Amino acid sequence: MKPPVHGTPRLMRAINDRAALRILLEKGPLTRPELSRLTGLSKPTAFQLLARLQEAGLVVNDGVRTGQAGRTAEVYRVNGAAAYVAALDVTPGRIGVRVADITGAVVGEADYPAPFPEPSPASSPAPFPASSPVQLSEGGGLVERLRAAVEAARPPGPLRRVVIGVQGAVDPTTGRLDHAAAEDMPGWQIPDLVPTLTAGLGVTVDVENDVNLAALAEQAHGAAAGCPDFVLLWAGEGLGAALVIGGRLHRGFFGGAGEVGYMPIPGAATARDGGRFGHHGYQALAGGPALQDLLRSYGVRGADFRESVATAARLAQGTGRAAQEAAAGLRTVASRVALGLATIAAVVDPGLVVLAGGLMSAGGEPLRDLVERELRVLDVDRPQVRLSAVDSNPVLVGGLDLALARVRDEVFGHARDGAPAEAGR
């Protein structure tokens, strides 16, 4: 049995400092009396606390507030420049970038295209150390592309952490990116992927599955808020899922939990027929291109699967032969999507299914309703089915949330020793 941990003055100061910083993030800017009331600390203790946090560069004065009888009080807020983080959404055609300060305020964005252009000279402070040890033999080209994409977002200061959302997932047993073909993620098939990127960029890097990041965004800001057990299905060109169990993201032993695109499904070819990354499984049945072909057989055409699904949903609301065909096609789309979801739900038993991705946004409420109806028929349990409720890119939203949570734990810990924050004030 471990002995109890006694509350030393240093430990209590650290606890109070972190609590105050969290309150300032959620409620601030605040005056000293307001912070005293919200933390339960005495006014002298709150005064000493703010002095420590100002010395550490974590809190700054935000002016004065006029109260009753003309009295004024100084107002304090978290220093956004104490740290900066970035989230990246990497796809075969582009890299989306979003930069935020430690308060969560977005301070830079970019959409970097492929083929990747030559980076232009940055006019803002360099986000990475100039002396980063890039190994050109392994990962050098990838590092330079990522560096150029982040610099295009013009971060106002050095980055403390970068979270990168990718197709596939890093296998923690090998350190390599798995569940992604080389043609989809060129340059990413290197040993020790995360340590290589961390060393090359000179900043701590996390590589996370993009659908997992979308699930974190829905959990914090969207349709899954308050639900501890849910599945997010991302349906677009391909299919992927994220599993949140007991309020925590479940990645699996090999990091590939939720990689359902190649899940064996009745009526579709298997890996035995087409190879590991061949055209088979759930993706061959309900991926975007397959559903575009399906709708074409019902007389519904579009430039891509999104347009085809949106057209089917629109036509199905009308009357006549074309409307009947479109409605039948949309029902078949829903039945294919629900078939895989029923398999997932039978194993995970979620209370909620969140439908996200280009396919679902194109189909909207009509497609959501049809998927839910079909799932009721196929599945014994009855999870709710909702559309994604995150307005902007959920991969970037979830990536920033993850980066901020980890950096706040690191940076706010400096308040214990009075160490100054690394970034500028």
Side-chain angles (χ1 to χ4, degrees):
M1 181 177 178
K2 294 182 179 180
V5 178
H6 297 289
T8 64
R10 182 179 179 183
L11 175 61
M12 296 307 298
R13 283 195 299 269
I15 293 172
N16 290 339
D17 290 352
R18 290 172 68 87
L21 287 164
R22 295 289 178 182
I23 290 172
L24 283 168
L25 279 174
E26 295 173 6
K27 308 285 188 181
L30 297 172
T31 64
R32 279 199 298 265
E34 289 171 336
L35 188 61
S36 172
R37 184 176 71 255
L38 290 170
T39 58
L41 300 173
S42 67
K43 290 182 181 180
T45 301
F47 178 86
Q48 295 170 359
L49 178 150
L50 283 170
R52 285 196 305 272
L53 296 181
Q54 282 185 289
E55 183 180 359
L58 299 176
V59 166
V60 293
N61 189 293
D62 197 42
V64 296
R65 185 184 301 165
T66 303
Q68 295 179 345
R71 295 180 179 178
T72 61
E74 291 184 322
V75 179
Y76 299 87
R77 61 174 173 82
V78 172
N79 179 16
Y84 296 101
V85 299
L88 279 65
D89 177 18
V90 178
T91 70
R94 45 166 283 282
I95 300 178
V97 185
R98 191 169 294 171
V99 178
D101 66 25
I102 199 169
T103 70
V106 174
V107 294
E109 292 188 85
D111 202 55
Y112 203 66
F116 301 103
E118 290 297 320
S120 58
S123 61
S124 56
F128 305 112
S131 58
S132 298
V134 178
Q135 299 296 325
L136 295 178
S137 60
E138 288 186 347
L142 174 59
V143 167
E144 289 309 308
R145 293 200 302 270
L146 296 175
R147 180 192 299 272
V150 172
E151 288 176 350
R154 301 182 182 278
L159 298 176
R160 182 90 180 210
R161 199 176 198 103
V162 175
V163 171
I164 306 174
V166 299
Q167 299 177 22
V170 175
D171 183 341
T173 68
T174 66
R176 289 179 173 270
L177 185 69
D178 201 359
H179 303 284
E183 55 265 30
D184 293 329
M185 299 294 291
W188 288 80
Q189 286 68 33
I190 58 177
D192 299 319
L193 177 62
V194 173
T196 298
L197 296 183
T198 294
L201 293 175
V203 62
T204 302
V205 172
D206 297 306
V207 177
E208 181 63 85
N209 175 260
D210 50 5
V211 182
N212 283 350
L213 293 178
L216 293 179
E218 294 290 347
Q219 184 182 36
H221 312 285
C227 183
D229 298 274
F230 71 93
V231 168
L232 182 140
L233 178 71
W234 187 278
E237 186 86 12
L239 293 167
L243 315 177
V244 175
I245 302 172
R248 298 174 63 87
L249 189 64
H250 181 71
R251 295 178 176 87
F253 185 82
F254 296 106
E259 292 290 344
V260 299
Y262 299 109
M263 179 174 65
I265 290 289
T270 67
R272 182 182 289 111
D273 305 308
R276 187 182 181 202
F277 294 116
H279 190 63
H280 61 81
Y282 190 22
Q283 191 159 291
L285 191 73
L291 296 180
Q292 184 179 6
D293 291 341
L294 168 71
L295 289 172
R296 190 177 295 117
S297 70
Y298 285 89
V300 179
R301 300 183 180 276
D304 57 20
F305 70 88
R306 298 175 188 82
E307 187 176 317
S308 295
V309 171
T311 300
R314 176 176 52 80
L315 290 176
Q317 306 303 311
T319 58
R321 178 71 177 175
Q324 293 174 0
E325 287 293 305
L330 200 63
R331 286 196 299 272
T332 308
V333 168
S335 68
R336 289 190 178 190
V337 172
L339 186 61
L341 276 175
T343 302
I344 299 167
V347 176
V348 180
D349 188 26
L352 171 68
V353 172
V354 179
L355 303 177
L359 177 72
M360 293 304 164
S361 61
E365 177 57 26
L367 182 56
R368 184 215 65 81
D369 181 65
L370 289 171
V371 170
E372 184 174 47
R373 290 172 183 270
E374 188 67 18
L375 196 58
R376 295 285 184 269
V377 175
L378 297 175
D379 194 29
V380 175
D381 297 312
R382 297 186 175 183
Q384 296 182 59
V385 179
R386 298 175 186 167
L387 292 172
S388 168
V390 176
D391 293 331
S392 62
N393 184 328
V395 178
L396 295 179
V397 173
L400 281 184
D401 282 351
L402 183 60
L404 286 167
R406 291 175 176 174
V407 164
R408 285 168 180 169
D409 282 342
E410 296 169 2
V411 174
F412 290 175
H414 283 287
R416 304 176 188 180
D417 305 314
E422 292 184 6
R425 301 183 187 184

